[in-house]
Amino acid sequence: MPEINHHSQRVSALLGKPPGWLLRWGTAVIFLVVAALLLGAAFVRYPDVIAAPVVVSGSNPPQNLLAQKSGRFAQFLAADGSAVRKGEIVAVLENEANYRHVTKVDSALATFKTRWQETDTLLPGHDWPALQLGDVQPAYQNLKMAYTELAQFYSQRAYPMQIAAVKAQLTNYHLFYKRSWQQRTALQAQYDLAAQRYYSDSLLAEDGVYAAQELSK
């Protein structure tokens, strides 16, 4: 305990008598520094948001669509900002054709192609209404004529009749081949019998039992 009190008195003597100039000027300096900081903060501003021009680009940037012809838009088929696929129609310009008629012909062509590839037949009872197709109207007329000629060709059944005739002829050829093979088998048996007899007679002729004239016959 006496040693602790001894140290406490020394510390108290050192801290109990601070220099006078530190108390007088230290507080004034700190006050001036704080006042300068507050004054600088009032005049100097650093904004949180800095406005600057920016160009945003992605891996697949937007592309410009160029129409084959100029004109006003008659119909939009894709909403603004929606994703579209390659080859998809996004808008229709004003023209002489009816867009619904064009899509109807396009759908009919796809159906015809599928049916021809799978069954090689036409659609029964298909009609060709009068459509407003604009620039593709001549091609539509040619399609109607070609379809009519193909329908007549199917109705005449020319190739099916030829196929049936060839099948019947092929059946006759199979029957003829079967009979010819049976005849060949019989002739082969006769030939084998004659060859065996000739071999026996030739042995007899060598021994003088059979006459050479009979062997020749």
Side-chain angles (χ1 to χ4, degrees), residues 112-163:
F112 294 160
K113 183 178 180 180
T114 302
R115 188 175 182 88
W116 291 335
Q117 292 178 347
E118 294 179 354
T119 62
D120 193 21
T121 57
L122 298 178
L123 293 175
H126 179 76
D127 57 343
W128 295 91
L131 302 177
Q132 182 180 352
L133 302 176
D135 295 339
V136 297
Q137 192 72 38
Y140 178 68
Q141 298 298 332
N142 294 334
L143 176 63
K144 290 174 58 177
M145 294 178 59
Y147 187 89
T148 302
E149 294 176 356
L150 185 61
Q152 293 178 357
F153 173 80
Y154 277 109
S155 62
Q156 294 175 359
R157 299 183 59 82
Y159 279 116
M161 294 176 62
Q162 293 181 8
I163 293 174

Side-chain angles (χ1 to χ4, degrees), residues 61-208:
Q63 300 294 330
N64 295 327
L65 299 179
L66 300 178
Q68 297 180 357
K69 295 183 179 180
S70 61
R72 294 183 301 178
F73 288 105
Q75 185 178 4
F76 289 97
L77 304 179
D80 186 17
S82 61
V84 295
R85 297 185 300 271
K86 182 179 180 180
E88 182 179 352
I89 300 176
V90 297
V92 179
L93 298 178
E94 289 183 348
N95 60 91
E96 298 179 356
N98 189 318
Y99 179 73
R100 291 183 303 173
H101 293 178
V102 174
T103 55
K104 183 176 181 180
V105 175
D106 191 20
S107 177
L109 287 176
T111 304
F112 294 160
K113 183 178 180 180
T114 302
R115 188 175 182 88
W116 291 335
Q117 292 178 347
E118 294 179 354
T119 62
D120 193 21
T121 57
L122 298 178
L123 293 175
H126 179 76
D127 57 343
W128 295 91
L131 302 177
Q132 182 180 352
L133 302 176
D135 295 339
V136 297
Q137 192 72 38
Y140 178 68
Q141 298 298 332
N142 294 334
L143 176 63
K144 290 174 58 177
M145 294 178 59
Y147 187 89
T148 302
E149 294 176 356
L150 185 61
Q152 293 178 357
F153 173 80
Y154 277 109
S155 62
Q156 294 175 359
R157 299 183 59 82
Y159 279 116
M161 294 176 62
Q162 293 181 8
I163 293 174
V166 172
K167 287 183 178 180
Q169 188 176 6
L170 184 61
T171 302
N172 294 332
Y173 282 149
H174 281 297
L175 182 60
F176 176 75
Y177 173 78
K178 183 178 180 180
R179 292 178 179 176
S180 298
W181 184 262
Q182 292 175 353
Q183 185 178 3
R184 177 192 178 281
T185 304
L187 292 176
Q188 183 69 38
Q190 293 179 9
Y191 170 78
D192 294 340
L193 182 61
Q196 184 179 4
R197 182 179 178 182
Y198 173 76
Y199 177 74
S200 300
D201 292 345
S202 63
L203 295 178
L204 294 176
E206 291 178 359
D207 295 338

